[in-house]
Amino acid sequence: MQSWIPLVPDSASTFSWQVDALYFYLSGVTLFFALLISSVLIFFVIRYRRRTPWEIPRPVAGSHKLEIVWTIIPFLIAMTMFGWGARVYFTQYKTPADAIEVYVVGKQWMWKLQHATGQREINQLHVPVGRKVKLIMTSEDVIHDFFVPAFRTKADVVPGKYTTLWFEATKPGTYHLFCAEYCGMNHSGMIGSVIVMEPREFDNWLSGNTSSTTPAVAGQQLFQTLGCASCHGANGEGGRGPALAGAFGKETELQDGGKATVDERYVRDSIINPQLKLVKGFGPIMPTFQGQISEDQLVQLVAFIKSLSTGGQTQTSAPAPSATPQK
Ligand code: CUA
């Protein structure tokens, strides 16, 4: 399905029209000035051409008035672009709290996705229409970039950290997913699709795929086998290590006097580099797990620690959250 202007891709998210409007404004301003300047140029070339070989032009003195005018007008126009662009940017990068979460791991050359309810997908992402979806993304190797043109959004997927992206699809359908960062030989083949479904269809799809354990449950098992429980307590209640239950999403005081918000990135950093941001009152006794666990496993641990604060996601067969909007 093409949109009415064949120059732009399908438009299927809540902010695609905002991006389009801004884009058309930029194009319009550019076109207007390109025409204005080239016509004035042509006019001057003809009007003030040298008529005889001996002609000496009249000397021209500067004009402050003119200079002020051609400084202030472009400045104001540039500020409208800045203001408008910043607004669109902030809507895209401020992730809403009520989004359903999907974990994304990029690697040469594929996308691995896992829903909070456990369903895994490769190069495909099923989402319900009309619901906010948040992607928590990282890479196993080099920088990739998750790009869905129909949603007018993209974000880099970077090794060693989590980046996020959110969208709300407005139209059921199948949309292209691209890697938008050159990542090696098969970069152009690192593609897939986002399948936007009606809420009921999506619920059916979810319940037809519940065989896999949720990331939070897998994380709980890892938490035991890696020995985390010996310091953080079997249920994350704390001990020789800081308590994990209830910590996610809150601010914690650090040993060096600073503060840190316990989010996905903080948890990941603390597993890989425990000495970096020590919680106040605890010594540097935790070993690093760098190189010992994969990105998938890190995602699971993060999901488990998160579930200790949000609750409800640690059952083995987590009930699929209904995609039907609740009012
Ligand atoms: Cu991954 Cu380009």
Side-chain angles (χ1 to χ4, degrees):
M1 255 199 304
Q2 263 299 347
S3 46
W4 59 278
I5 301 178
L7 292 172
V8 296
D10 244 341
S11 167
S13 84
T14 46
F15 36 61
S16 50
W17 69 269
Q18 298 173 1
V19 175
D20 287 354
L22 179 59
Y23 182 77
F24 286 127
Y25 172 65
L26 294 176
S27 309
V29 171
T30 311
L31 196 68
F32 173 76
F33 280 101
L35 288 176
L36 181 74
I37 290 169
S38 43
S39 28
V40 171
L41 187 81
I42 292 166
F43 173 75
F44 282 1
V45 161
I46 295 165
R47 176 75 178 73
Y48 298 106
R49 70 187 185 279
R50 187 153 77 159
R51 285 152 214 265
T52 63
W54 307 279
E55 189 179 337
I56 295 165
R58 257 185 300 139
V60 181
S63 160
H64 285 302
K65 218 186 266 172
L66 198 58
E67 282 185 35
I68 288 169
V69 166
W70 76 41
T71 303
I72 287 182
I73 292 176
F75 172 76
L76 291 178
I77 294 172
M79 289 319 279
T80 61
M81 293 172 182
F82 169 73
W84 192 346
R87 238 184 92 181
V88 174
Y89 178 86
F90 280 114
T91 17
Q92 288 209 5
Y93 288 89
K94 252 179 34 199
T95 316
D98 56 341
I100 46 178
E101 292 181 349
V102 178
Y103 294 97
V104 179
V105 177
K107 62 175 270 190
Q108 286 166 326
W109 288 278
M110 66 200 282
W111 296 104
K112 298 191 289 182
L113 303 103
Q114 188 173 25
H115 294 256
T117 36
Q119 293 79 1
R120 288 182 178 278
E121 303 191 66
I122 301 271
N123 294 339
Q124 273 201 335
L125 172 61
H126 289 76
V127 292
V129 70
R131 275 292 300 274
K132 298 178 179 102
V133 179
K134 175 188 179 186
L135 307 181
I136 300 162
M137 312 188 290
T138 190
S139 166
E140 269 179 33
D141 36 48
V142 297
I143 302 179
H144 304 279
D145 189 294
F146 195 97
F147 179 32
V148 185
F151 298 164
R152 307 289 189 273
T153 190
K154 61 171 163 179
D156 273 1
V157 177
V158 184
K161 69 185 251 185
Y162 289 128
T163 52
T164 56
L165 182 73
W166 82 274
F167 57 81
E168 181 181 334
T170 52
K171 224 167 56 179
T174 301
Y175 305 103
H176 288 294
L177 156 65
F178 293 105
C179 175
E181 180 72 52
Y182 182 68
C183 57
M185 195 174 71
N186 289 334
H187 156 71
S188 63
M190 197 169 162
I191 52 176
S193 45
V194 178
I195 297 134
V196 178
M197 308 168 99
E198 291 292 353
R200 186 172 306 162
E201 263 181 82
F202 178 73
D203 284 342
N204 285 341
W205 179 85
L206 265 192
S207 53
N209 286 279
T210 42
S211 54
S212 40
T213 43
T214 70
V217 169
Q220 189 175 26
Q221 285 153 8
L222 270 175
F223 191 77
Q224 303 299 337
T225 52
L226 291 170
C228 314
S230 64
C231 289
H232 291 290
N235 300 306
E237 68 274 19
R240 277 185 291 162
L244 305 174
F248 196 89
K250 301 214 179 81
E251 233 180 28
T252 184
E253 278 188 59
L254 301 180
Q255 192 73 306
D256 62 9
K259 279 189 176 152
T261 303
V262 183
D263 54 7
E264 287 95 357
R265 190 183 294 184
Y266 177 81
V267 174
R268 186 189 184 282
D269 286 351
S270 300
I271 297 168
I272 294 300
N273 195 352
Q275 263 60 278
L276 190 69
K277 285 175 179 172
L278 276 178
V279 172
K280 195 178 174 182
F282 293 92
I285 56 168
M286 179 168 157
T288 172
F289 288 86
Q290 176 127 47
Q292 299 176 41
I293 46 180
S294 68
E295 286 301 336
D296 280 325
Q297 291 174 312
L298 272 167
V299 159
Q300 292 164 353
L301 281 171
V302 169
F304 168 61
I305 289 165
K306 205 163 160 182
S307 73
L308 292 174
S309 302
T310 50
Q313 288 187 1
T314 41
Q315 309 96 317
T316 327
S317 57
S322 173
T324 324
Q326 278 120 17
K327 283 273 144 70

PDB file of all heavy atoms in Angstrom, residues 115-136:
ATOM      1  N   HIS A 115       9.401 -10.952  23.361  1.00  0.00           N
ATOM      2  CA  HIS A 115       8.341 -10.240  24.069  1.00  0.00           C
ATOM      3  C   HIS A 115       8.478 -10.503  25.560  1.00  0.00           C
ATOM      4  O   HIS A 115       9.046 -11.511  25.973  1.00  0.00           O
ATOM      5  CB  HIS A 115       6.971 -10.725  23.578  1.00  0.00           C
ATOM      6  CG  HIS A 115       6.714 -10.367  22.143  1.00  0.00           C
ATOM      7  ND1 HIS A 115       5.889  -9.351  21.757  1.00  0.00           N
ATOM      8  CD2 HIS A 115       7.214 -10.883  20.992  1.00  0.00           C
ATOM      9  CE1 HIS A 115       5.878  -9.257  20.440  1.00  0.00           C
ATOM     10  NE2 HIS A 115       6.661 -10.178  19.941  1.00  0.00           N
ATOM     11  N   ALA A 116       7.940  -9.591  26.366  1.00  0.00           N
ATOM     12  CA  ALA A 116       8.008  -9.758  27.824  1.00  0.00           C
ATOM     13  C   ALA A 116       7.289 -11.029  28.254  1.00  0.00           C
ATOM     14  O   ALA A 116       7.548 -11.576  29.322  1.00  0.00           O
ATOM     15  CB  ALA A 116       7.408  -8.547  28.518  1.00  0.00           C
ATOM     16  N   THR A 117       6.381 -11.523  27.409  1.00  0.00           N
ATOM     17  CA  THR A 117       5.651 -12.741  27.737  1.00  0.00           C
ATOM     18  C   THR A 117       6.393 -13.988  27.254  1.00  0.00           C
ATOM     19  O   THR A 117       5.878 -15.095  27.382  1.00  0.00           O
ATOM     20  CB  THR A 117       4.259 -12.697  27.091  1.00  0.00           C
ATOM     21  OG1 THR A 117       4.367 -12.058  25.814  1.00  0.00           O
ATOM     22  CG2 THR A 117       3.295 -11.916  27.943  1.00  0.00           C
ATOM     23  N   GLY A 118       7.585 -13.832  26.685  1.00  0.00           N
ATOM     24  CA  GLY A 118       8.429 -14.979  26.377  1.00  0.00           C
ATOM     25  C   GLY A 118       8.564 -15.320  24.898  1.00  0.00           C
ATOM     26  O   GLY A 118       9.528 -15.959  24.507  1.00  0.00           O
ATOM     27  N   GLN A 119       7.597 -14.917  24.079  1.00  0.00           N
ATOM     28  CA  GLN A 119       7.646 -15.275  22.655  1.00  0.00           C
ATOM     29  C   GLN A 119       8.887 -14.684  21.992  1.00  0.00           C
ATOM     30  O   GLN A 119       9.178 -13.515  22.154  1.00  0.00           O
ATOM     31  CB  GLN A 119       6.396 -14.763  21.923  1.00  0.00           C
ATOM     32  CG  GLN A 119       5.113 -15.440  22.326  1.00  0.00           C
ATOM     33  CD  GLN A 119       4.551 -14.917  23.638  1.00  0.00           C
ATOM     34  OE1 GLN A 119       5.104 -14.022  24.265  1.00  0.00           O
ATOM     35  NE2 GLN A 119       3.450 -15.497  24.074  1.00  0.00           N
ATOM     36  N   ARG A 120       9.575 -15.556  21.247  1.00  0.00           N
ATOM     37  CA  ARG A 120      10.770 -15.099  20.541  1.00  0.00           C
ATOM     38  C   ARG A 120      10.493 -14.969  19.054  1.00  0.00           C
ATOM     39  O   ARG A 120       9.698 -15.737  18.498  1.00  0.00           O
ATOM     40  CB  ARG A 120      11.911 -16.104  20.714  1.00  0.00           C
ATOM     41  CG  ARG A 120      12.502 -16.119  22.091  1.00  0.00           C
ATOM     42  CD  ARG A 120      13.651 -17.109  22.137  1.00  0.00           C
ATOM     43  NE  ARG A 120      14.260 -17.106  23.461  1.00  0.00           N
ATOM     44  CZ  ARG A 120      15.153 -16.195  23.845  1.00  0.00           C
ATOM     45  NH1 ARG A 120      15.537 -15.243  23.013  1.00  0.00           N
ATOM     46  NH2 ARG A 120      15.654 -16.240  25.059  1.00  0.00           N
ATOM     47  N   GLU A 121      11.153 -14.029  18.430  1.00  0.00           N
ATOM     48  CA  GLU A 121      11.000 -13.859  16.984  1.00  0.00           C
ATOM     49  C   GLU A 121      12.361 -13.516  16.382  1.00  0.00           C
ATOM     50  O   GLU A 121      13.211 -12.937  17.056  1.00  0.00           O
ATOM     51  CB  GLU A 121      10.029 -12.721  16.658  1.00  0.00           C
ATOM     52  CG  GLU A 121       8.651 -12.883  17.256  1.00  0.00           C
ATOM     53  CD  GLU A 121       7.673 -11.875  16.671  1.00  0.00           C
ATOM     54  OE1 GLU A 121       7.394 -11.973  15.466  1.00  0.00           O
ATOM     55  OE2 GLU A 121       7.218 -10.993  17.403  1.00  0.00           O
ATOM     56  N   ILE A 122      12.538 -13.878  15.125  1.00  0.00           N
ATOM     57  CA  ILE A 122      13.751 -13.514  14.397  1.00  0.00           C
ATOM     58  C   ILE A 122      13.322 -12.686  13.179  1.00  0.00           C
ATOM     59  O   ILE A 122      12.511 -13.143  12.373  1.00  0.00           O
ATOM     60  CB  ILE A 122      14.517 -14.773  13.916  1.00  0.00           C
ATOM     61  CG1 ILE A 122      14.897 -15.668  15.085  1.00  0.00           C
ATOM     62  CG2 ILE A 122      15.718 -14.374  13.066  1.00  0.00           C
ATOM     63  CD1 ILE A 122      16.207 -15.391  15.737  1.00  0.00           C
ATOM     64  N   ASN A 123      13.863 -11.498  13.062  1.00  0.00           N
ATOM     65  CA  ASN A 123      13.587 -10.608  11.920  1.00  0.00           C
ATOM     66  C   ASN A 123      12.107 -10.311  11.720  1.00  0.00           C
ATOM     67  O   ASN A 123      11.693  -9.912  10.629  1.00  0.00           O
ATOM     68  CB  ASN A 123      14.164 -11.172  10.617  1.00  0.00           C
ATOM     69  CG  ASN A 123      15.673 -11.194  10.651  1.00  0.00           C
ATOM     70  OD1 ASN A 123      16.291 -10.466  11.423  1.00  0.00           O
ATOM     71  ND2 ASN A 123      16.270 -12.026   9.821  1.00  0.00           N
ATOM     72  N   GLN A 124      11.311 -10.542  12.739  1.00  0.00           N
ATOM     73  CA  GLN A 124       9.886 -10.251  12.649  1.00  0.00           C
ATOM     74  C   GLN A 124       9.444  -9.726  13.999  1.00  0.00           C
ATOM     75  O   GLN A 124       9.932 -10.169  15.029  1.00  0.00           O
ATOM     76  CB  GLN A 124       9.092 -11.524  12.350  1.00  0.00           C
ATOM     77  CG  GLN A 124       8.987 -11.817  10.881  1.00  0.00           C
ATOM     78  CD  GLN A 124       7.826 -12.738  10.584  1.00  0.00           C
ATOM     79  OE1 GLN A 124       7.395 -13.508  11.440  1.00  0.00           O
ATOM     80  NE2 GLN A 124       7.324 -12.658   9.374  1.00  0.00           N
ATOM     81  N   LEU A 125       8.539  -8.785  13.944  1.00  0.00           N
ATOM     82  CA  LEU A 125       7.994  -8.277  15.195  1.00  0.00           C
ATOM     83  C   LEU A 125       6.486  -8.131  15.025  1.00  0.00           C
ATOM     84  O   LEU A 125       6.020  -7.407  14.157  1.00  0.00           O
ATOM     85  CB  LEU A 125       8.639  -6.915  15.535  1.00  0.00           C
ATOM     86  CG  LEU A 125       8.036  -6.158  16.721  1.00  0.00           C
ATOM     87  CD1 LEU A 125       8.153  -6.967  18.001  1.00  0.00           C
ATOM     88  CD2 LEU A 125       8.717  -4.806  16.898  1.00  0.00           C
ATOM     89  N   HIS A 126       5.746  -8.861  15.835  1.00  0.00           N
ATOM     90  CA  HIS A 126       4.293  -8.732  15.832  1.00  0.00           C
ATOM     91  C   HIS A 126       3.885  -7.762  16.931  1.00  0.00           C
ATOM     92  O   HIS A 126       4.326  -7.920  18.077  1.00  0.00           O
ATOM     93  CB  HIS A 126       3.631 -10.090  16.085  1.00  0.00           C
ATOM     94  CG  HIS A 126       3.755 -11.042  14.930  1.00  0.00           C
ATOM     95  ND1 HIS A 126       4.923 -11.707  14.642  1.00  0.00           N
ATOM     96  CD2 HIS A 126       2.865 -11.403  13.972  1.00  0.00           C
ATOM     97  CE1 HIS A 126       4.726 -12.467  13.559  1.00  0.00           C
ATOM     98  NE2 HIS A 126       3.489 -12.296  13.131  1.00  0.00           N
ATOM     99  N   VAL A 127       3.089  -6.772  16.585  1.00  0.00           N
ATOM    100  CA  VAL A 127       2.600  -5.829  17.588  1.00  0.00           C
ATOM    101  C   VAL A 127       1.122  -5.554  17.351  1.00  0.00           C
ATOM    102  O   VAL A 127       0.631  -5.681  16.229  1.00  0.00           O
ATOM    103  CB  VAL A 127       3.378  -4.485  17.548  1.00  0.00           C
ATOM    104  CG1 VAL A 127       4.814  -4.663  17.992  1.00  0.00           C
ATOM    105  CG2 VAL A 127       3.322  -3.855  16.173  1.00  0.00           C
ATOM    106  N   PRO A 128       0.408  -5.171  18.419  1.00  0.00           N
ATOM    107  CA  PRO A 128      -1.007  -4.819  18.237  1.00  0.00           C
ATOM    108  C   PRO A 128      -1.125  -3.373  17.762  1.00  0.00           C
ATOM    109  O   PRO A 128      -0.280  -2.541  18.074  1.00  0.00           O
ATOM    110  CB  PRO A 128      -1.582  -4.972  19.638  1.00  0.00           C
ATOM    111  CG  PRO A 128      -0.427  -4.741  20.555  1.00  0.00           C
ATOM    112  CD  PRO A 128       0.812  -5.163  19.831  1.00  0.00           C
ATOM    113  N   VAL A 129      -2.178  -3.102  17.020  1.00  0.00           N
ATOM    114  CA  VAL A 129      -2.423  -1.738  16.575  1.00  0.00           C
ATOM    115  C   VAL A 129      -2.958  -0.927  17.760  1.00  0.00           C
ATOM    116  O   VAL A 129      -3.601  -1.466  18.661  1.00  0.00           O
ATOM    117  CB  VAL A 129      -3.424  -1.758  15.385  1.00  0.00           C
ATOM    118  CG1 VAL A 129      -4.824  -2.158  15.822  1.00  0.00           C
ATOM    119  CG2 VAL A 129      -3.462  -0.414  14.674  1.00  0.00           C
ATOM    120  N   GLY A 130      -2.611   0.352  17.814  1.00  0.00           N
ATOM    121  CA  GLY A 130      -3.168   1.229  18.844  1.00  0.00           C
ATOM    122  C   GLY A 130      -2.623   1.040  20.242  1.00  0.00           C
ATOM    123  O   GLY A 130      -3.211   1.515  21.202  1.00  0.00           O
ATOM    124  N   ARG A 131      -1.515   0.321  20.369  1.00  0.00           N
ATOM    125  CA  ARG A 131      -0.890   0.189  21.683  1.00  0.00           C
ATOM    126  C   ARG A 131       0.531   0.708  21.597  1.00  0.00           C
ATOM    127  O   ARG A 131       1.193   0.549  20.582  1.00  0.00           O
ATOM    128  CB  ARG A 131      -0.834  -1.292  22.104  1.00  0.00           C
ATOM    129  CG  ARG A 131      -2.097  -1.811  22.775  1.00  0.00           C
ATOM    130  CD  ARG A 131      -2.368  -1.210  24.153  1.00  0.00           C
ATOM    131  NE  ARG A 131      -1.314  -1.455  25.134  1.00  0.00           N
ATOM    132  CZ  ARG A 131      -1.252  -2.542  25.877  1.00  0.00           C
ATOM    133  NH1 ARG A 131      -2.140  -3.507  25.763  1.00  0.00           N
ATOM    134  NH2 ARG A 131      -0.283  -2.688  26.756  1.00  0.00           N
ATOM    135  N   LYS A 132       1.000   1.328  22.669  1.00  0.00           N
ATOM    136  CA  LYS A 132       2.380   1.812  22.684  1.00  0.00           C
ATOM    137  C   LYS A 132       3.316   0.631  22.886  1.00  0.00           C
ATOM    138  O   LYS A 132       3.071  -0.224  23.736  1.00  0.00           O
ATOM    139  CB  LYS A 132       2.570   2.825  23.802  1.00  0.00           C
ATOM    140  CG  LYS A 132       1.697   4.050  23.607  1.00  0.00           C
ATOM    141  CD  LYS A 132       1.868   5.011  24.765  1.00  0.00           C
ATOM    142  CE  LYS A 132       1.015   6.239  24.544  1.00  0.00           C
ATOM    143  NZ  LYS A 132      -0.218   6.201  25.349  1.00  0.00           N
ATOM    144  N   VAL A 133       4.359   0.586  22.099  1.00  0.00           N
ATOM    145  CA  VAL A 133       5.332  -0.498  22.191  1.00  0.00           C
ATOM    146  C   VAL A 133       6.707   0.116  22.422  1.00  0.00           C
ATOM    147  O   VAL A 133       7.103   1.046  21.725  1.00  0.00           O
ATOM    148  CB  VAL A 133       5.348  -1.331  20.890  1.00  0.00           C
ATOM    149  CG1 VAL A 133       6.388  -2.442  20.984  1.00  0.00           C
ATOM    150  CG2 VAL A 133       3.978  -1.906  20.594  1.00  0.00           C
ATOM    151  N   LYS A 134       7.397  -0.405  23.438  1.00  0.00           N
ATOM    152  CA  LYS A 134       8.737   0.100  23.736  1.00  0.00           C
ATOM    153  C   LYS A 134       9.750  -0.994  23.435  1.00  0.00           C
ATOM    154  O   LYS A 134       9.575  -2.138  23.861  1.00  0.00           O
ATOM    155  CB  LYS A 134       8.804   0.487  25.217  1.00  0.00           C
ATOM    156  CG  LYS A 134      10.181   0.907  25.687  1.00  0.00           C
ATOM    157  CD  LYS A 134      10.172   1.065  27.215  1.00  0.00           C
ATOM    158  CE  LYS A 134      11.552   1.474  27.715  1.00  0.00           C
ATOM    159  NZ  LYS A 134      11.604   1.505  29.187  1.00  0.00           N
ATOM    160  N   LEU A 135      10.789  -0.655  22.706  1.00  0.00           N
ATOM    161  CA  LEU A 135      11.843  -1.616  22.414  1.00  0.00           C
ATOM    162  C   LEU A 135      13.050  -1.277  23.276  1.00  0.00           C
ATOM    163  O   LEU A 135      13.458  -0.123  23.345  1.00  0.00           O
ATOM    164  CB  LEU A 135      12.234  -1.551  20.934  1.00  0.00           C
ATOM    165  CG  LEU A 135      11.106  -1.680  19.909  1.00  0.00           C
ATOM    166  CD1 LEU A 135      11.685  -1.626  18.500  1.00  0.00           C
ATOM    167  CD2 LEU A 135      10.348  -2.983  20.108  1.00  0.00           C
ATOM    168  N   ILE A 136      13.597  -2.306  23.937  1.00  0.00           N
ATOM    169  CA  ILE A 136      14.819  -2.132  24.711  1.00  0.00           C
ATOM    170  C   ILE A 136      15.894  -2.889  23.942  1.00  0.00           C
ATOM    171  O   ILE A 136      15.815  -4.106  23.798  1.00  0.00           O
ATOM    172  CB  ILE A 136      14.651  -2.676  26.141  1.00  0.00           C
ATOM    173  CG1 ILE A 136      13.512  -1.926  26.827  1.00  0.00           C
ATOM    174  CG2 ILE A 136      15.946  -2.546  26.935  1.00  0.00           C
ATOM    175  CD1 ILE A 136      12.972  -2.631  28.044  1.00  0.00           C
TER     176      ILE A 136
END
